[in-house]
Structure formats: structure tokens, C-alpha cells
Amino acid sequence: MLRLSAPTDPAWVTQALDHLDELLLDHAHLEKKAAGTAVTLLFRYPERRVLQEPLARIAREELVHFEQVLAQLDRRGVPFRPLRPGPYAGRLHAAIRGQEPDRLLDTLLVAALIEARSCERLALLAAALPAVDERLAALYRELLEAEARHHGEYVRLALALFAEPEVRTRLQALARAEADALAAGAPAPRFHG
Ligand SMILES: [Fe+2]
Ligand SMILES: [Fe+2]
């Protein structure tokens, strides 16, 4: 079960299909960023034993996803290039509290919500894409399972380190912040925007 507070507007799928190559480029950067988030947490919290293997595994899987999306870019003839991040992640990270251990809890839950949104959108694209690009649709069907698992894993890690009522309350608040971050829009079509 994904713990999102609002579903994606169906208009996003139409927009995404109209700008598929740019969306795919954005997606490649997001997979790399997802690996970076897990690695950053490994370096920031070496004393939290419970985090180590799950985060190492997530980082590895996200790097494989990055390579898989790069292969799709090559197949579609889209050059890989730098892309300015959309405003979504910045808006969402602004909701993370600065003091430990609140910062750790919020960072795990924000990561969980980003994974959930990725999973939701990969499912929407996987359903819409077969008519456009069946091989990309097949990859997205595969990836959405992994992102659903990552979502559950980040929530599980939060529950391993913090009391359940605190996790639930914070997850609800951050899920609203996530929906607001999406609703505020983006200047260009983005995977999260
Ligand atoms: Fe991924
Ligand atoms: Fe993921």
C-alpha cells in the first residue's frame, strides 16, 4: 500500500507522453538521485546498524535502474545531458526538520513518499505506454515493483527506529507536504512535477 495523500492528476499522463524523451531524461537523473539519497544516509548515520544493509541494497538497485534508463535513452536516441532538477524535491526537503533525530525520521519518510510517487507514476506510465513504446512499458512494469518495495522499506526503517504513533503522525503531515509540492506545479514536464 502506498501512503500518498493525493493521487496524480490524470492530465499529468497526457503531458508526460507528449514530452516522453525529456521525462525519460528526468527519470534517469532521479534514479541516480535515489541512489545518492541512500548513500548519503549511509555516510550520515554509520551508528544506526539497522539502516546499513537495506540502504546499501537500495543504493545498488537504484544504480541498476539508472543504467536501465540510460539504455532506454540510448535506444530512443536521446542524448544524456545535465538537467536542472524540478522544484518538487526542494519543496519536499524544506519540510524536513533540522534537529536530530527528527531529521533522520523525516528524511526516511520523505524518501518513502518519493518512492511511493515514483511507483504510482510508473504504474500510470506502464498502463499508457504499450501503444507508444512497449519496451519502455516493460521496463516500467518491472521498476514499479522495486519502487513499491523501496517505499515499504523506508517506512519499515522509520518504524524500526521511532515509535509507531510518531511515525504515523509525521508520515501523514509529510504526505500532505508531498501532495502540496506536486500541486504547486513545475515549469517543465517532469517525472515529479
Ligand atoms: Fe529506482
Ligand atoms: Fe526506488
Side-chain angles (χ1 to χ4, degrees), residues 52-67:
Q52 306 307 306
E53 284 89 347
L55 289 174
R57 181 174 171 194
I58 289 173
R60 235 177 324 120
E61 291 183 352
E62 302 295 19
L63 284 176
V64 171
H65 297 172
F66 175 57
E67 293 177 65

Side-chain angles (χ1 to χ4, degrees), residues 27 30-31 34 61-62 65-66 115 118 122 143 146-147 150:
H27 182 188
L30 291 174
E31 296 291 0
E61 291 183 352
E62 302 295 19
H65 297 172
F66 175 57
E115 295 288 343
S118 300
L122 285 168
L143 292 188
E147 309 309 1
H150 294 166

